[in-house]
Amino acid sequence: MPELSHGRRMLVLAICCMSLLIVSLDNTVLNVALPSLQRELDASTSGLQWTIDAYTLVLASLLMLAGSTADRIGRRRVFLTGLVVFTLGSLLCSLAPDLNWLVVFRMVQAVGGSMLNPVAMSIITNTFTDPRERARAIGVWGAVVGLSMAAGPLVGGLLVDSVGWRSIFWVNLPVGLAALLLTWRFVPESRAPRARRPDPVGQVLVIALFGSLTYAIIEAPHGTWRTTAPFAALAAVALLALLRYAPRRPEPLIDLRFFRSAPFSGATVIAVSAFAALGGFLFLSTLYLQNVRGLSALEAGLWMLPMAVPTFLCAPLSGRLVGSRGPRLPLLVAGGAMTVSGLLFALFEAETSNVTLLAGYVLFGVGFGFVNAPITNTAVSGMPLAQAGVASAVASTSRQLGQTLGVAVLGAVLAAGVGSSSYADTFVTASRPGWWILTACGAGVLTLGVLTTGPWARATAERAARRLESEERPPRRTGVGA
């Protein structure tokens, strides 16, 4: 990629952030619309889970393929394709005649979305080569997630109450078209110095693992062990096969050598934990505010602001702290705030008091605002630039997998607790185990933030980067005529 001026780099960052905005906004807006979808399409709790997880599941399954493909054939080309498919998928979602078609069209959206975020992060990584400037850019990137969380519930609530749930997908159309035109005009093409080969076997194993695991979790409260156990077994077999297959392939879809770096491994697990907490938090909060408290979609969106605004404000601060002091402090703040937020709900039934509900939302927003920048920066900063697309795709996959599992697990826990009763009668009690799971996710972020950011962890990252570079470098020719 050619060296760009400061203004051009800022423009590239803005364009990449537009793609993140529509992908993130889509999920937050949809969460507010879930009760409306439930009523109009006669959807069960598992149907609502699939509306969200069909998207995040396909996204998680294809992100690494998109990242490696972009490194191979051109990041700008893949990014443009993703914008076209995502925008088309959004249009189709707004026209879905029933829940089944909505789930299918959400999967079309996800195919496009898989080509956006990891590829955009790879473009940013190769555009901002100075580590401090890159950390600040990633902080801005994280702030866009906060912006989507702040704007999503309000925009979604307003649209659902005034026009209907179909209108929430219209928001993506103008933003997607604008990003498409700006990318075509201003984003330069870039590729990895050496192209990675496709790995169809690894891709099939990843799809089998993620898909069967999610199905088993979501359908467990509604089926029998005979219907869910085969999918759980398939997930286990796919995982074992992937662990045996990947090290034997020269260029696997999931490069297990990245996990020799303790910070990279820690960032991956932290991403799963944090985004599982986010997915579960939004799912439980939306259903509680509208189905238990009886609030409208707009009123529920206003209640979500105490969580969304701190996320927006804390994300750039986290990016600056990562750039100046490293990832440890932001991760400690994130893990501590998310843990205390979970405890408020798990121990003190925060839903039953406006004061504790507000405090729980604010603390979760602060925690989530601090967690994104250290995850992203740690995942890509220690890797060779040639592997930036694959490394950032693994980080993005961890986020989407976490969100998928958060909705699947907490939705299953809630469905099992509610049973045939009404939400209003049993929600607080039925959701209690879910809040304990979210508390454990926050504690995991806190613990790994301590363990994977010290001198030992940094030394493993340096050794992993050196080994990657030496193993990727072609052997030097010797002898006569060399």
Side-chain angles (χ1 to χ4, degrees), residues 1 6 31 45 163 172 201 214 235 260 262 276 278 280 307 324 437:
M1 177 182 286
H6 177 75
N31 268 280
T45 300
V163 183
N172 300 330
V201 174
T214 303
R260 296 169 183 167
L278 174 66
M307 179 187 68
S324 61
I437 293 172

Side-chain angles (χ1 to χ4, degrees), residues 205 236-247:
L205 289 174
V237 170
L239 175 60
L240 292 175
L242 192 62
L243 292 176
R244 281 185 60 85
Y245 167 78

Side-chain angles (χ1 to χ4, degrees), residues 60-153:
S61 300
L62 298 181
L63 282 171
M64 286 176 286
L65 174 63
S68 60
T69 301
D71 282 347
R72 183 171 62 253
I73 69 173
R75 297 171 181 125
R76 176 176 175 268
R77 179 183 300 177
V78 172
F79 191 68
L80 286 169
T81 303
L83 286 169
V84 171
V85 176
F86 185 87
T87 305
L88 176 61
S90 299
L91 177 62
L92 292 173
C93 285
S94 70
L95 303 174
D98 54 41
L99 185 67
N100 291 332
W101 278 110
L102 178 60
V103 169
V104 170
F105 294 148
R106 288 279 289 165
M107 295 172 74
V108 174
Q109 263 191 313
V111 173
S114 70
M115 305 178 198
L116 296 180
N117 286 2
V119 179
M121 179 51 61
S122 183
I123 292 172
I124 290 173
T125 302
N126 283 269
T127 300
F128 295 88
T129 54
D130 178 74
R132 293 196 174 206
E133 191 178 32
R134 179 192 297 152
R136 295 190 188 98
I138 291 173
V140 174
W141 172 267
V144 174
V145 177
L147 178 62
S148 71
M149 291 182 66

Side-chain angles (χ1 to χ4, degrees), residues 130-139 314-330 370 373-374 377-378 381 453 458:
D130 178 74
R132 293 196 174 206
E133 191 178 32
R134 179 192 297 152
R136 295 190 188 98
I138 291 173
C314 292
L317 174 60
S318 177
R320 286 194 292 270
L321 285 174
V322 171
S324 61
R325 300 186 58 179
R328 172 170 283 193
L329 180 59
F370 272 94
N377 191 72
T378 303
S381 61
T453 55
R458 288 193 294 271

Side-chain angles (χ1 to χ4, degrees), residues 53 67 74 115 122 167 223 227 247-248 257 291 307 327 339 351 365 400-401 420 434-435 457-459:
D53 275 358
M115 305 178 198
S122 183
S167 62
T227 59
R248 299 167 183 261
R257 295 176 300 173
N291 287 351
M307 179 187 68
T339 301
E351 305 101 320
Q400 298 303 326
L401 178 61
S420 58
W435 292 117
R458 288 193 294 271

Side-chain angles (χ1 to χ4, degrees), residues 61-76 78-79 114-120 122 189-200 202-203 206 249 251-255 258 385-397:
S61 300
L62 298 181
L63 282 171
M64 286 176 286
L65 174 63
S68 60
T69 301
D71 282 347
R72 183 171 62 253
I73 69 173
R75 297 171 181 125
R76 176 176 175 268
V78 172
F79 191 68
S114 70
M115 305 178 198
L116 296 180
N117 286 2
V119 179
S122 183
E189 184 62 278
S190 64
R191 296 177 177 84
R194 190 172 68 86
R196 293 174 62 86
R197 288 175 291 182
D199 181 14
Q203 183 63 62
V206 166
R249 183 176 173 83
E251 294 177 339
L253 180 71
I254 301 178
D255 198 332
F258 289 171
L385 286 180
Q387 304 297 332
V390 181
S392 62
V394 173
S396 296
T397 297

Side-chain angles (χ1 to χ4, degrees), residues 108-398:
V108 174
Q109 263 191 313
V111 173
S114 70
M115 305 178 198
L116 296 180
N117 286 2
V119 179
M121 179 51 61
S122 183
I123 292 172
I124 290 173
T125 302
N126 283 269
T127 300
F128 295 88
T129 54
D130 178 74
R132 293 196 174 206
E133 191 178 32
R134 179 192 297 152
R136 295 190 188 98
I138 291 173
V140 174
W141 172 267
V144 174
V145 177
L147 178 62
S148 71
M149 291 182 66
L154 289 178
V155 172
L158 183 62
L159 289 173
V160 171
D161 282 351
S162 60
V163 183
W165 64 265
R166 296 179 187 278
S167 62
I168 64 175
F169 296 104
W170 300 343
V171 177
N172 300 330
L173 304 183
V175 180
L177 290 174
L180 180 66
L181 295 175
L182 290 170
T183 301
W184 185 273
R185 175 67 179 82
F186 294 107
V187 175
E189 184 62 278
S190 64
R191 296 177 177 84
R194 190 172 68 86
R196 293 174 62 86
R197 288 175 291 182
D199 181 14
V201 174
Q203 183 63 62
V204 169
L205 289 174
V206 166
I207 293 173
L209 170 60
F210 291 172
S212 56
L213 178 61
T214 303
Y215 182 89
I217 294 172
I218 290 179
E219 298 300 328
H222 314 286
T224 65
W225 68 270
R226 289 187 178 88
T227 59
T228 56
F231 289 92
L234 177 59
V237 170
L239 175 60
L240 292 175
L242 192 62
L243 292 176
R244 281 185 60 85
Y245 167 78
R248 299 167 183 261
R249 183 176 173 83
E251 294 177 339
L253 180 71
I254 301 178
D255 198 332
L256 299 182
R257 295 176 300 173
F258 289 171
F259 294 93
R260 296 169 183 167
S261 165
F264 182 87
S265 299
T268 301
V269 180
I270 288 170
V272 172
S273 300
F275 278 78
L278 174 66
F281 195 99
L282 291 175
F283 190 79
L284 292 181
S285 296
T286 300
L287 293 179
Y288 170 75
L289 291 171
Q290 295 187 56
N291 287 351
V292 179
R293 287 205 169 190
L295 303 180
S296 68
L298 180 57
E299 290 170 334
L302 289 171
W303 258 106
M304 301 290 279
L305 278 179
M307 179 187 68
V309 172
T311 299
F312 174 66
L313 296 177
C314 292
L317 174 60
S318 177
R320 286 194 292 270
L321 285 174
V322 171
S324 61
R325 300 186 58 179
R328 172 170 283 193
L329 180 59
L331 287 176
L332 295 184
V333 173
M338 293 170 73
T339 301
V340 175
S341 173
L343 286 174
L344 280 177
F345 289 92
L347 284 178
F348 302 107
E349 296 188 351
E351 305 101 320
T352 58
S353 165
N354 286 343
V355 174
T356 51
L357 183 63
L358 179 66
Y361 281 3
V362 170
L363 283 169
F364 190 89
V366 170
F368 192 75
F370 272 94
V371 81
N372 210 33
I375 289 172
T376 306
N377 191 72
T378 303
V380 300
S381 61
M383 297 295 152
L385 286 180
Q387 304 297 332
V390 181
S392 62
V394 173
S396 296
T397 297
S398 303

